[in-house]
Amino acid sequence: MRPQILNPLFAEAESLKGVGPQLARPMERLGLTRVKDFAYHLPDRFVERRPVENLDAASVGENIVVALTVREHRSSSGRGPYRVLAEDVLGNVCTLTFFGRASYTAKKLLPVGEKRWVAGRLDQYGQMLQIVHPDHVAEDGSALLEQLCEPVYPLSEGLTQGRLAGLIQQALEHLPELPEWIEPGLLDRMKWPAWRDALVLAHKGTHAQARDRLAYDELLANSLALMLVRDANRARTGSPLAGDGSLRSKLSLPFALTGAQRRTIGEIEGDMAQGAPMLRLLQGDVGSGKTVVALEAMLIAVEAGAQAALLAPTEILARQHHETLMRMAAGTGVEIALFTGRDKGKARESILMGLLDGSIDIVVGTHAIFQESVAYKNLAMVVIDEQHRFGVGQRLMLAQKGKRTPHCLAMTATPIPRTLTLAQYGEMDVSRLDEMPPGRQAIDTRVVSGERIGDVVGALARHLDGGGQAYWVCPMVRESENDDLAAAEARFAELKERFGDAVVLVHGQLKPELKDAAMERFVRGEAKLLVATTVIEVGVDVPDATLMIIEQAERFGLAQLHQLRGRVGRGADKSVCLLLRGDALSETARDRLALMRETQDGFRLAEEDLRLRGGGELLGTRQSGDTPFRIASLEQIQTLLPLAHDDARLLIERDGGLTGDRGEAARMLLYLFERDWGVQLLRGG
Ligand code: ADP
Ligand code: MG
């Protein structure tokens, strides 16, 4: 159970003063649902202001606090700004300018003849000094003069800086004092403040040590939790499986395995022969040949008299895998079934029977294969395709199926850098397919200005006329971005006007049946052009699709672009990928797109992506969802994660049950960062 001392932090946001239903949505959008979320909602940056006696003492462009006396209000006719003329003690005039609705507040806040304290950025407009939308206007200056360094928080519509800052302040007042979980030597060496001080400092000003400490806490919690999972797994009983090669030797593959495939299969075979269940991640770029590795691994289980299952994230992928496996294993006599949530009646019954009596050796399906009602005779091996769709929690659920924990092989086509692999899959052993099957064609990648979209559509028309298929991808950063969805739908409408019924649209908000139906038309070749948001990222194989067009490519991560590009280049014909870009690109964005042109090595792209983003565009990426962290930035992950990992290992080696003083503190940390599944795994925890 969560330690009581943490309860105030986990209290609902509504327990803060001044939080009503009107704030529920904006707060939810920012992930602020409990008191602790506010405390951890760290500023993007700070505004530093200088108090000045008069305007002569200030320079243009500077953020200042100054006392002004209001002289005159000038509202303009129509849509122009609302101006308030005010002067300092020397009689220098400054215009306070307001647009839109802010003019109403201006009228109230700045009565003519009165003195007011104003905080804001001093600008020049023609010959006039002006402050556009002052940050603060106050009758009494003391609060402004006391907080000359003001945090600027990430906002969402319906919340103002002032409002949010007030709520955060309240949350900070609720912070309990917690025992120290960081190793004292490290804390000293880094000159890191204690937890509560660090949180308070991080909201007060640029304080690198405080921010690093908070990031480290998060990284340590994650490393600890993953290591506890790993330990718990080692302590479980699995079934040692030794295959005799009798089925694998009957496989009729039209190719020889690559060195990387052979090495990986060897690693898997070694794991499966052990008493503890395998927990291995297979990382391999799109097209690196993971399927055949999965098949060999499952055949080891079947050779040893057990059953195996392959879990796919979507029905389409399950079906595709089923077909591929049937083809490759045709000569082996192995019984391979497909099972999805849609199977009903007799068909469903017969598969259920087959799984129960063991006549089915391998089952391929969606998460339906792990439903309560599905019982196996002897399931000893599970392959999870496209791992990133499943969280650690789901992985743990799998482990609970049956008396013995099945061996688990997780496969992902997302090449992520080594540090992030550690962060996300730290509990697993990792195999990398870092060698492509021979004869893969390079994909001709070009970066094209978005203004040339007319030419691009022309090229697309020629491609479709020639009988080819193509993808057109529109950006959708978050599933909830309505603007993006509208843009994708508009693009679809336009393309449909031009190319007719051969165009289908797929996006994240579409009902699964409709999505599947559209995808299937494309897979079968009835539809020629698939307009999509990033949902096609995962594993679909359509060899005739050899043209990929990606709009606003700069908005995608490199790894994502790489995944998308990997949808083409699967057949014998030469493939082309056109990256449409906006005009105002940052240097980093330019470099990233150039890199796409240069290389097709996913692991290299992933490392470079991290390097390019890790240094520069830090803040925007914090919540981009490609790391499991909320606090730690990419840069902090790179520098601090290895430390946290070692620290966690040492702690567990010394006190695996987390019962000593530091162990107790570490439990607290796990709860604080909601990695309590780590604690649950401790015996008696
Ligand atoms: P992944 O799932 O890793 O993206 P697949 O398993 O679908 O990749 O393999 C991609 C393609 O490469 C398939 O057509 C497969 O038959 C082929 N392939 C796999 N291994 C080899 C190999 N060693 N040599 C040649 N082709 C291979
Ligand atoms: Mg695959």
Side-chain angles (χ1 to χ4, degrees), residues 342-408:
R342 274 203 231 152
D343 297 305
K344 296 270 144 53
K346 282 235 160 61
R348 181 183 163 90
E349 293 287 293
S350 108
I351 295 172
L352 288 177
M353 277 310 297
L355 292 172
L356 191 59
D357 68 17
S359 55
I360 293 174
D361 302 303
I362 294 176
V363 63
V364 182
T366 55
H367 57 273
I369 60 178
F370 292 115
Q371 280 164 359
E372 211 63 55
S373 53
V374 182
Y376 293 82
K377 178 162 187 236
N378 183 12
L379 178 65
M381 159 79 192
V382 174
V383 180
I384 308 177
D385 194 20
E386 299 308 345
Q387 169 65 32
H388 57 287
R389 292 270 188 111
F390 299 94
V392 177
Q394 275 159 306
R395 272 180 250 155
L396 292 175
M397 289 257 302
L398 286 185
Q400 269 134 37
K401 190 99 188 163
K403 287 188 296 289
R404 288 163 185 271
T405 308
H407 295 285
C408 177

XYZ file of all heavy atoms in Angstrom, residues 342-408:
519
model
N -12.986 -11.410 -33.395
C -14.171 -11.474 -34.242
C -14.683 -12.885 -34.473
O -15.787 -13.073 -34.972
C -13.859 -10.850 -35.597
C -14.078 -9.354 -35.557
C -14.327 -8.862 -36.943
N -13.445 -7.747 -37.218
C -13.018 -7.431 -38.432
N -13.360 -8.174 -39.467
N -12.253 -6.399 -38.597
N -13.852 -13.869 -34.171
C -14.322 -15.246 -34.388
C -15.515 -15.525 -33.502
O -15.512 -15.225 -32.323
C -13.198 -16.235 -34.059
C -12.006 -16.048 -34.976
O -12.209 -16.101 -36.199
O -10.887 -15.823 -34.472
N -16.553 -16.103 -34.112
C -17.769 -16.392 -33.353
C -18.201 -17.830 -33.622
O -17.746 -18.464 -34.573
C -18.912 -15.449 -33.782
C -18.650 -13.969 -33.491
C -19.133 -13.547 -32.107
C -18.235 -12.512 -31.451
N -17.927 -11.307 -32.185
N -19.094 -18.320 -32.806
C -19.758 -19.595 -33.054
C -18.825 -20.780 -33.222
O -17.872 -20.935 -32.464
N -19.098 -21.590 -34.240
C -18.379 -22.857 -34.438
C -16.879 -22.667 -34.618
O -16.081 -23.405 -34.054
C -18.939 -23.585 -35.681
C -20.247 -24.303 -35.436
C -20.104 -25.797 -35.832
C -21.166 -26.653 -35.167
N -22.553 -26.255 -35.554
N -16.539 -21.661 -35.445
C -15.123 -21.430 -35.733
C -14.370 -21.167 -34.430
O -13.300 -21.727 -34.180
C -14.974 -20.244 -36.675
N -14.980 -20.355 -33.592
C -14.358 -20.001 -32.326
C -14.216 -21.234 -31.425
O -13.152 -21.514 -30.879
C -15.223 -18.937 -31.648
C -14.683 -18.452 -30.332
C -15.631 -17.449 -29.686
N -15.310 -17.317 -28.279
C -14.438 -16.427 -27.800
N -13.853 -15.586 -28.625
N -14.159 -16.375 -26.518
N -15.325 -21.985 -31.344
C -15.318 -23.207 -30.533
C -14.179 -24.127 -30.933
O -13.477 -24.677 -30.091
C -16.643 -23.970 -30.732
C -17.847 -23.253 -30.188
C -17.863 -23.296 -28.672
O -18.034 -24.399 -28.137
O -17.671 -22.227 -28.047
N -14.026 -24.296 -32.240
C -13.075 -25.301 -32.684
C -11.640 -24.853 -32.367
O -10.789 -25.671 -32.026
C -13.299 -25.632 -34.163
O -12.284 -25.112 -34.946
N -11.388 -23.538 -32.452
C -10.051 -23.071 -32.083
C -9.829 -23.249 -30.578
O -8.784 -23.735 -30.142
C -9.834 -21.603 -32.485
C -9.873 -21.485 -34.007
C -8.497 -21.094 -31.970
C -9.871 -20.078 -34.526
N -10.853 -22.897 -29.794
C -10.727 -23.052 -28.344
C -10.419 -24.501 -27.980
O -9.573 -24.783 -27.134
C -12.009 -22.575 -27.643
C -12.226 -21.061 -27.649
C -13.550 -20.698 -26.993
C -11.067 -20.345 -26.947
N -11.119 -25.428 -28.649
C -10.869 -26.857 -28.400
C -9.429 -27.219 -28.739
O -8.750 -27.898 -27.979
C -11.808 -27.716 -29.271
C -13.196 -27.927 -28.703
S -13.156 -28.496 -26.990
C -12.326 -30.082 -27.217
N -9.012 -26.758 -29.902
C -7.661 -27.079 -30.379
C -6.578 -26.573 -29.433
O -5.546 -27.232 -29.243
N -6.824 -25.404 -28.842
C -5.834 -24.854 -27.911
C -5.820 -25.667 -26.623
O -4.782 -25.906 -26.015
C -6.144 -23.383 -27.614
C -5.944 -22.440 -28.801
C -6.449 -21.043 -28.483
C -4.472 -22.398 -29.221
N -7.005 -26.117 -26.246
C -7.133 -26.859 -25.000
C -6.587 -28.283 -25.114
O -5.920 -28.782 -24.215
C -8.605 -26.894 -24.584
C -8.895 -27.407 -23.186
C -8.183 -26.556 -22.141
C -10.399 -27.414 -22.921
N -6.862 -28.936 -26.264
C -6.393 -30.332 -26.372
C -4.999 -30.420 -26.988
O -4.440 -31.501 -27.145
C -7.416 -31.201 -27.130
C -7.537 -30.831 -28.595
O -6.638 -30.140 -29.115
O -8.539 -31.221 -29.231
N -4.441 -29.269 -27.371
C -3.062 -29.268 -27.857
C -2.916 -29.601 -29.332
O -1.796 -29.702 -29.829
N -4.038 -29.756 -30.053
C -3.891 -30.054 -31.477
C -3.441 -28.819 -32.261
O -2.905 -28.931 -33.349
C -5.193 -30.625 -32.055
O -6.268 -29.743 -31.805
N -3.658 -27.651 -31.707
C -3.079 -26.446 -32.313
C -1.733 -26.186 -31.637
O -1.630 -26.110 -30.417
C -4.001 -25.222 -32.121
C -5.294 -25.421 -32.917
C -3.297 -23.943 -32.560
C -6.330 -24.345 -32.685
N -0.686 -26.076 -32.479
C 0.656 -25.867 -31.929
C 0.974 -24.393 -31.740
O 1.588 -23.993 -30.768
C 1.705 -26.466 -32.879
C 1.481 -27.940 -33.116
O 1.457 -28.678 -32.119
O 1.308 -28.345 -34.285
N 0.552 -23.620 -32.748
C 0.869 -22.192 -32.715
C -0.402 -21.401 -32.977
O -1.152 -21.727 -33.905
C 1.921 -21.836 -33.796
C 3.269 -22.504 -33.475
C 2.087 -20.325 -33.925
C 4.341 -22.291 -34.531
N -0.667 -20.391 -32.168
C -1.821 -19.538 -32.430
C -1.330 -18.112 -32.648
O -0.425 -17.632 -31.974
C -2.874 -19.606 -31.293
C -2.304 -19.094 -29.981
C -4.120 -18.815 -31.668
N -1.924 -17.495 -33.683
C -1.589 -16.114 -33.991
C -2.837 -15.290 -33.761
O -3.924 -15.686 -34.191
C -1.173 -15.967 -35.473
C -0.777 -14.521 -35.774
C -0.037 -16.923 -35.797
N -2.744 -14.165 -33.082
C -3.954 -13.385 -32.876
C -3.708 -12.066 -32.190
O -2.565 -11.674 -31.935
N -4.815 -11.389 -31.907
C -4.755 -10.135 -31.156
C -4.849 -10.489 -29.678
O -4.843 -11.663 -29.309
C -5.925 -9.227 -31.534
O -7.125 -9.958 -31.327
C -5.837 -8.802 -32.985
N -4.994 -9.465 -28.836
C -5.012 -9.717 -27.394
C -6.111 -10.710 -26.990
O -6.099 -11.233 -25.896
C -5.167 -8.416 -26.634
C -6.397 -7.667 -27.021
N -6.413 -6.787 -28.080
C -7.650 -7.714 -26.558
C -7.635 -6.316 -28.232
N -8.402 -6.860 -27.312
N -7.049 -10.990 -27.917
C -8.101 -11.970 -27.634
C -7.521 -13.321 -27.211
O -8.162 -14.073 -26.478
C -8.988 -12.159 -28.863
N -6.307 -13.614 -27.657
C -5.742 -14.925 -27.311
C -5.406 -15.045 -25.832
O -5.089 -16.124 -25.356
C -4.488 -15.272 -28.162
C -3.372 -14.241 -27.952
C -4.832 -15.391 -29.626
C -2.102 -14.580 -28.729
N -5.470 -13.908 -25.116
C -5.193 -13.990 -23.683
C -6.417 -13.756 -22.819
O -6.307 -13.541 -21.621
C -4.077 -13.009 -23.302
C -2.768 -13.418 -23.874
C -2.138 -12.628 -24.808
C -2.190 -14.622 -23.511
C -0.934 -13.022 -25.359
C -0.986 -15.030 -24.059
C -0.358 -14.226 -24.991
N -7.590 -13.814 -23.460
C -8.814 -13.659 -22.676
C -8.941 -14.776 -21.644
O -8.431 -15.873 -21.837
C -10.046 -13.738 -23.584
C -10.337 -12.459 -24.329
C -11.297 -12.710 -25.474
O -11.708 -13.846 -25.701
N -11.635 -11.659 -26.186
N -9.694 -14.438 -20.623
C -9.993 -15.386 -19.555
C -10.456 -16.730 -20.105
O -10.032 -17.802 -19.672
C -11.115 -14.773 -18.699
C -11.100 -15.131 -17.241
C -9.853 -14.646 -16.536
O -9.546 -13.422 -16.597
O -9.195 -15.494 -15.932
N -11.336 -16.669 -21.117
C -11.990 -17.886 -21.616
C -11.086 -18.757 -22.490
O -11.470 -19.839 -22.907
C -13.224 -17.490 -22.422
O -12.837 -16.550 -23.406
N -9.896 -18.277 -22.784
C -9.017 -19.067 -23.644
C -8.042 -19.870 -22.781
O -7.242 -19.307 -22.052
C -8.229 -18.153 -24.606
C -7.352 -18.984 -25.534
C -9.177 -17.276 -25.399
N -8.158 -21.194 -22.862
C -7.281 -22.046 -22.059
C -6.367 -22.851 -22.975
O -6.780 -23.296 -24.044
C -8.116 -22.976 -21.191
N -5.142 -23.020 -22.554
C -4.164 -23.732 -23.364
C -3.803 -25.055 -22.709
O -3.864 -25.192 -21.490
C -2.890 -22.903 -23.502
C -3.069 -21.638 -24.298
C -3.583 -20.492 -23.694
C -2.731 -21.592 -25.647
C -3.751 -19.326 -24.422
C -2.901 -20.434 -26.382
C -3.409 -19.297 -25.757
O -3.581 -18.151 -26.471
N -3.398 -26.001 -23.547
C -2.915 -27.241 -22.973
C -1.555 -27.004 -22.329
O -1.322 -27.358 -21.181
C -2.770 -28.306 -24.063
C -2.213 -29.612 -23.525
C -2.481 -30.758 -24.463
C -2.068 -32.079 -23.839
N -1.106 -32.797 -24.702
N -0.690 -26.329 -23.078
C 0.655 -26.119 -22.556
C 1.338 -24.957 -23.275
O 2.216 -25.153 -24.100
C 1.457 -27.421 -22.723
C 2.853 -27.307 -22.138
O 3.156 -26.347 -21.421
N 3.701 -28.259 -22.465
N 0.895 -23.760 -22.952
C 1.477 -22.574 -23.597
C 2.789 -22.229 -22.907
O 2.826 -21.896 -21.734
C 0.520 -21.386 -23.493
C 1.044 -20.073 -24.089
C 1.226 -20.183 -25.591
C 0.129 -18.915 -23.735
N 3.891 -22.299 -23.661
C 5.184 -22.107 -23.009
C 6.015 -21.017 -23.667
O 7.132 -20.731 -23.232
C 5.965 -23.424 -23.016
N 5.451 -20.420 -24.710
C 6.262 -19.441 -25.443
C 5.344 -18.390 -26.054
O 4.368 -18.730 -26.716
C 7.013 -20.209 -26.540
C 7.482 -19.371 -27.681
S 8.974 -18.523 -27.167
C 9.176 -17.350 -28.468
N 5.616 -17.119 -25.786
C 4.790 -16.049 -26.337
C 5.674 -15.046 -27.072
O 6.698 -14.612 -26.545
C 4.037 -15.296 -25.209
C 3.290 -14.098 -25.772
C 3.082 -16.234 -24.488
N 5.271 -14.736 -28.297
C 5.960 -13.674 -29.032
C 5.017 -12.477 -29.097
O 3.849 -12.624 -29.444
C 6.312 -14.120 -30.469
C 7.020 -12.995 -31.211
C 7.158 -15.383 -30.451
N 5.510 -11.313 -28.727
C 4.703 -10.094 -28.831
C 5.282 -9.232 -29.936
O 6.434 -8.797 -29.851
C 4.729 -9.279 -27.521
C 4.359 -10.151 -26.335
C 3.798 -8.096 -27.619
C 4.444 -9.415 -25.013
N 4.488 -9.007 -30.992
C 4.992 -8.194 -32.087
C 4.678 -6.731 -31.830
O 3.641 -6.401 -31.280
C 4.357 -8.657 -33.403
C 5.097 -8.077 -34.602
O 6.261 -7.669 -34.446
O 4.515 -8.042 -35.701
N 5.560 -5.876 -32.260
C 5.401 -4.422 -32.098
C 5.180 -4.057 -30.638
O 4.184 -3.497 -30.221
C 4.259 -3.899 -32.984
C 4.476 -4.133 -34.455
C 5.838 -3.626 -34.959
O 6.498 -2.850 -34.265
O 6.217 -4.042 -36.056
N 6.170 -4.396 -29.898
C 6.210 -4.238 -28.459
C 5.731 -2.890 -27.934
O 5.075 -2.801 -26.922
C 7.661 -4.468 -28.034
C 7.993 -4.118 -26.623
C 7.267 -4.999 -25.667
O 7.016 -6.152 -25.971
N 6.902 -4.459 -24.533
N 6.045 -1.823 -28.659
C 5.801 -0.506 -28.061
C 4.332 -0.242 -27.801
O 3.986 0.670 -27.087
C 6.397 0.588 -28.917
C 5.902 0.591 -30.318
N 6.291 -0.355 -31.229
C 5.042 1.388 -30.947
C 5.692 -0.117 -32.365
N 4.922 0.939 -32.236
N 3.455 -1.043 -28.374
C 2.034 -0.858 -28.098
C 1.640 -1.401 -26.718
O 0.558 -1.188 -26.237
C 1.202 -1.592 -29.152
C 1.311 -0.995 -30.515
C 0.237 0.051 -30.693
N 0.223 0.508 -32.073
C -0.757 0.251 -32.927
N -1.788 -0.464 -32.545
N -0.716 0.706 -34.150
N 2.504 -2.198 -26.143
C 2.174 -2.806 -24.858
C 3.042 -2.230 -23.762
O 4.244 -2.124 -23.914
C 2.392 -4.316 -24.911
C 1.551 -5.001 -25.931
C 2.040 -5.234 -27.195
C 0.256 -5.382 -25.635
C 1.251 -5.846 -28.154
C -0.536 -5.994 -26.582
C -0.032 -6.226 -27.856
N 2.450 -1.857 -22.661
C 3.232 -1.333 -21.548
C 3.756 -2.456 -20.676
O 3.403 -3.614 -20.851
N 4.600 -2.072 -19.738
C 5.154 -3.057 -18.822
C 4.026 -3.796 -18.097
O 4.080 -4.997 -17.898
C 6.083 -2.391 -17.788
C 6.594 -3.414 -16.791
C 7.250 -1.726 -18.474
N 2.990 -3.057 -17.721
C 1.864 -3.652 -17.014
C 1.277 -4.831 -17.780
O 1.029 -5.890 -17.202
N 1.085 -4.651 -19.080
C 0.518 -5.733 -19.879
C 1.474 -6.912 -19.979
O 1.062 -8.056 -19.979
C 0.180 -5.224 -21.280
C -1.182 -4.570 -21.318
C -1.306 -3.651 -22.500
O -0.489 -2.765 -22.684
N -2.321 -3.853 -23.295
N 2.758 -6.584 -20.055
C 3.736 -7.664 -20.095
C 3.636 -8.505 -18.825
O 3.744 -9.717 -18.853
C 5.149 -7.084 -20.184
C 5.598 -6.834 -21.599
C 6.992 -6.257 -21.580
N 6.984 -4.868 -21.981
C 7.915 -3.982 -21.632
N 8.907 -4.334 -20.862
N 7.840 -2.749 -22.053
N 3.421 -7.819 -17.691
C 3.331 -8.546 -16.428
C 2.099 -9.437 -16.398
O 2.111 -10.528 -15.865
C 3.296 -7.564 -15.255
C 4.606 -6.812 -15.036
C 4.440 -5.792 -13.935
C 5.732 -7.768 -14.712
N 1.013 -8.959 -16.999
C -0.217 -9.748 -17.064
C 0.026 -11.075 -17.770
O -0.453 -12.118 -17.346
C -1.279 -9.006 -17.874
C -1.834 -7.798 -17.194
S -3.436 -8.193 -16.540
C -4.264 -8.707 -18.062
N 0.763 -11.006 -18.864
C 1.060 -12.216 -19.617
C 1.727 -13.243 -18.724
O 1.448 -14.428 -18.783
C 2.029 -11.909 -20.753
C 1.468 -11.160 -21.937
C 2.542 -11.050 -22.999
C 0.279 -11.914 -22.481
N 2.629 -12.721 -17.902
C 3.401 -13.606 -17.057
C 2.503 -14.383 -16.109
O 2.861 -15.433 -15.601
C 4.424 -12.806 -16.267
N 1.299 -13.862 -15.874
C 0.438 -14.518 -14.897
C -0.449 -15.610 -15.489
O -1.181 -16.281 -14.802
C -0.407 -13.463 -14.181
C 0.305 -12.984 -12.924
C 0.285 -11.491 -12.805
O -0.681 -10.840 -13.148
N 1.376 -10.936 -12.310
N -0.393 -15.748 -16.815
C -1.223 -16.763 -17.476
C -0.611 -18.140 -17.220
O 0.504 -18.409 -17.632
C -1.274 -16.449 -18.975
C -2.262 -17.262 -19.746
C -3.539 -16.500 -19.980
C -4.573 -17.447 -20.584
N -5.923 -16.917 -20.466
N -1.342 -18.996 -16.551
C -0.835 -20.352 -16.353
C 0.066 -20.479 -15.134
O 0.514 -19.497 -14.571
N 0.323 -21.726 -14.747
C 1.127 -21.987 -13.557
C 2.574 -21.590 -13.789
O 3.228 -21.030 -12.948
C 1.079 -23.477 -13.204
C -0.254 -23.918 -12.621
C -0.190 -25.340 -12.109
C 0.067 -26.396 -13.193
N -1.054 -26.623 -14.107
N 3.025 -21.949 -14.979
C 4.394 -21.600 -15.315
C 4.389 -20.372 -16.208
O 3.502 -20.216 -17.042
C 5.051 -22.760 -16.070
C 5.339 -23.932 -15.170
C 5.576 -25.178 -15.993
N 5.726 -26.324 -15.123
C 6.909 -26.716 -14.624
N 8.007 -26.055 -14.946
N 6.987 -27.748 -13.823
N 5.363 -19.526 -16.019
C 5.433 -18.320 -16.838
C 5.996 -18.677 -18.209
O 7.053 -19.290 -18.295
C 6.363 -17.296 -16.175
O 5.925 -17.135 -14.832
C 6.306 -15.977 -16.892
N 5.289 -18.312 -19.273
C 5.825 -18.632 -20.600
C 7.082 -17.815 -20.908
O 7.276 -16.730 -20.369
C 4.689 -18.250 -21.555
C 3.731 -17.443 -20.788
C 3.983 -17.654 -19.330
N 7.909 -18.350 -21.771
C 9.026 -17.572 -22.300
C 8.451 -16.446 -23.144
O 7.454 -16.638 -23.842
C 9.911 -18.455 -23.176
C 10.591 -19.548 -22.409
N 11.655 -19.300 -21.586
C 10.340 -20.873 -22.334
C 12.046 -20.439 -21.035
N 11.259 -21.418 -21.459
N 9.063 -15.298 -23.063
C 8.506 -14.159 -23.798
C 9.551 -13.506 -24.682
O 10.636 -13.143 -24.239
C 7.951 -13.150 -22.797
S 7.312 -11.683 -23.595
